[in-house]
Amino acid sequence: MNTATDKNVIGVWPGLHYRDGQAALKFLTEGLGFTVIASYQGAVEGSIAHAELSWPTGGGIMLGSADAKTEPDEFTALTDQRQSVYLVHDDPDSLIGRAIGAGAVVVQGLEDTDYGSRGFTVRDFEGNLWSVGTYAGAMSQ
């Protein structure tokens, strides 16, 4: 049985809800480099009840689409709220063009920070912010 102390357990999964879950999967895989691990159809054909995506350096996100359930709930209400996710990447310079090519809008271009990171922030097609940088957090050190 896996526990939170096992190295192979992902203990935090940000969850996002999109109006268009299929477009989200396309943007996140083609634009940012996530890999789809699992995806389950919702109540409406083409909707996503639950999808899991892994990030190349570890971790992942979950997502669903607003039309995945026949009745709205607390999670589908998140569709209208913009979210922000930070991704650790060794070479953000190589990723920003890919994100823009997939339709992302640059909010903050590539820059070096005073805390030793290099990165950028883009907005996806539904308004969520995706920051990508080399800073891996103090827990990683």
Side-chain angles (χ1 to χ4, degrees):
M1 177 186 201
N2 289 333
T3 66
T5 59
D6 291 339
K7 294 277 185 205
N8 60 351
V9 173
I10 299 171
V12 177
W13 287 87
L16 291 96
H17 279 74
Y18 283 86
R19 286 180 204 84
D20 188 339
Q22 294 298 332
L25 286 181
K26 183 175 180 174
F27 171 77
L28 293 169
T29 57
E30 294 178 10
L32 291 177
F34 279 92
T35 300
V36 177
I37 302 302
S39 183
Y40 304 97
Q41 183 171 310
V44 174
E45 186 169 337
S47 68
I48 298 174
H50 172 81
E52 296 175 16
L53 289 79
S54 67
W55 182 243
T57 58
I61 62 168
M62 295 183 188
L63 70 88
S65 56
D67 57 357
K69 298 178 180 177
T70 55
E71 294 292 325
D73 63 11
E74 292 82 9
F75 291 102
T76 54
L78 294 174
T79 304
D80 294 326
Q81 297 180 17
R82 302 304 156 249
Q83 306 294 311
S84 173
V85 178
Y86 177 77
L87 305 169
V88 177
H89 195 279
D90 292 338
D91 186 13
D93 293 67
S94 70
L95 192 58
I96 191 168
R98 182 176 173 175
I100 293 168
V105 175
V106 176
V107 173
Q108 184 173 12
L110 282 164
E111 69 176 15
D112 297 313
T113 67
D114 58 354
Y115 53 89
S117 185
R118 179 162 178 78
F120 65 89
T121 301
V122 294
R123 183 182 324 276
D124 72 16
F125 64 99
E126 289 195 13
N128 298 302
L129 298 178
W130 295 89
S131 297
V132 180
T134 58
Y135 180 69
M139 291 189 309
S140 298
Q141 300 172 355

